[in-house]
Amino acid sequence: MAVDSFQSDEEHDAGDPRPTGLLDLLSVAAVVLDTRGRIVFWTPQAEDLFGWSAEEALGSEAGKLLVSPGRIKSAVQLFSEVLATGQGWAGVFPVRRKDGSSRLTEFRTMRLLDDEGEVYALGIAADRNLLQRVETDLALCERLIYQSPIGLALLDPDLKFLLVNPALERIDGMPAAEHVGRSLRETLPLTDMETVESALLQVLTTGTPLLDQYHVGQPRNDPGRQHAWSLSFYRLEDASGRVLGAAVSVVDVTERHQAAAEADRARRRLAVIADASARIGTTLEVERTARELAEVAAPVLADVVAVDVLDSALACRRMSSQDHGPELFRALALKAAHPTVATRAADPPGDLAAYDGDRLVTLCVHTGRPVLVPHVQPADLPRIARDADGEALLAEAGVHSYLAVPLIAHGEVLGALDLKRTRNPLPFDEDDVVLAAEIAGRAGVAIDNARWFQSVRNTALTLQRSLLPDHSPRHTGLEVASRYEPAQATSEVGGDWYDVIPLADDRTALVVGDVMGNGIDAAATMGRLRTATCAYADLDLAPEAVLRHLDKITCDLEHYIVTCLYAVYDPATNRCTVANAGHLPPALARPGRLPEFLDLPTAAPLGVGGVPFEAATVPMEPGDLLVLYTDGLVETRQHAIDDRLAELLSRLGEPGPSLEEVCDRLVHGLRHPDDHDDVALLLARVVDHPQ
């Protein structure tokens, strides 16, 4: 019920009074009769209820005015008993209204005495239908409150409990009687009570409800398990607008919270897997792939991440499986989500380490299954750390949970993903195991591809370098320097080559060529052509004749096209004769003049067949520099070839004290480390020589 307060005349509104309580809502009427049954007191509510004005009712006999003729006898009898015995009567009686209609009225009657001993009868009356409706509404409200599965509470303006229903008792584990007079902070097990109290004060101030506010906590009747509740706040006012307090509804949404949390975890797992798919294996480099794996896993999965691969796997040696015994690991990556001494307990990337069979990472690669230690105890640290110092560092870092997941590709265990948690308070669980295994599986395939590619590439590079000449820097009338730079690690070795061949009469043949293709086949083809070039050079054939014979050999090879430039320098005449088979033109830098490309007769590459080759003779003086190169020096995917050739000439315009420095300037200035093609570069400078 609303609680009224006393007000002075100045505090009343100037307008019509507003209903402020249940009596006003019911419009309870009061009628007083004397011993003769005449009406001596008549309230305005009686006029509203029965239709008779005070002037019409006062002094009239109540029986004749309000009771139908057939019920006067029973009405007089009730009236007489009340006056005679002093015992009140309560019940329903039909009353005749002024308009002739009859209305069932709820009565409470009692005997009154004034200060002179006169006896009167007081009747308090209300419309039966209205009273029943109010009673029904009250009963319904009471049932809704006490039978509702939703927790409900009424708070006073100081946010103290006035009423609590049984559902809220069950939610916070405290009897309703113990709530009354206490604050929210003393009862509800919410972790963010300051937020709740601030929200309630806002509702009391503004009158604007706050609905479905999400809060979590651990109730007293279910400690150790997190629950979630949806809270709604409303301001309560009486009919006059006076603030009585606030109502709070509490709905247990723990199942919805858990489902949402699981869905969120699933979304995050999918996001991590998608991120791993995009970021792991972007190159065919084992070390970089391992770093990408570590960067994806930290901090999403762990605070400290290490990637260790079996040394035998890196060498592409299949080892017989064993269930115990030590293993030799190479550390490839180490990543920490935040600064921690735990990194000092791990093997630095690049180091080799042998671990006994009882170490957890060794157990992981032996079994090919994840090893999970949700709660790391001091006794577990020796099986996680590399040594006693590592144990102390891990303990200092606060490592409390550990997980090792194997890196597997095509059924072969390559190594392990090592995960530790320090700052993240949650232990690893089965969901983390599934997520880590999914990421490790993708990384394992990428590492497997990279290690086999690197193995093949190393073989091709070894073959390529073994086939390139080891020439003297000095030849009659010439000073020479050369470079060979393989393509980036993610590209296969190509078939670029150069050669410096001594000829009769102190002449020197200068050769540069490019087999279009890559890998071991291209390197082997390059070796065959280099051998043939040396053989034809020994026959003292003209440059165009050498290219013609090489063209025939290339036509017999399967699907190979080769560009080649063959030049012969004669110190006796200071002339250089050059023939070109589809190769980029050599550059000539003369002292005091701008560098330029030689204008040579064009011809098709070797292997096309049936195309004639021509030679051009170029006079050369001491100090002149001839630059022969393959397309990997100037071609890029981002720039026009003309711009790159112009840049080559501009760099030749810069004087250099030695050919070795000029080589370095050209290679480092023109070639990016990530370029996809290999480079062969040959420089020859004319020097004075005795005649």
Side-chain angles (χ1 to χ4, degrees), residues 262 265 269 429-436:
E262 181 57 35
R265 293 190 66 174
R269 286 196 297 268
D429 57 21
E430 291 301 326
D431 285 343
D432 296 317
V433 174
V434 172
L435 179 57

Side-chain angles (χ1 to χ4, degrees), residues 265 372-375 400-401 421 424-430 432:
R265 293 190 66 174
L372 172 63
V373 184
H375 304 282
H400 65 86
S401 195
R421 283 184 176 172
N424 186 337
L426 299 177
F428 288 113
D429 57 21
E430 291 301 326
D432 296 317

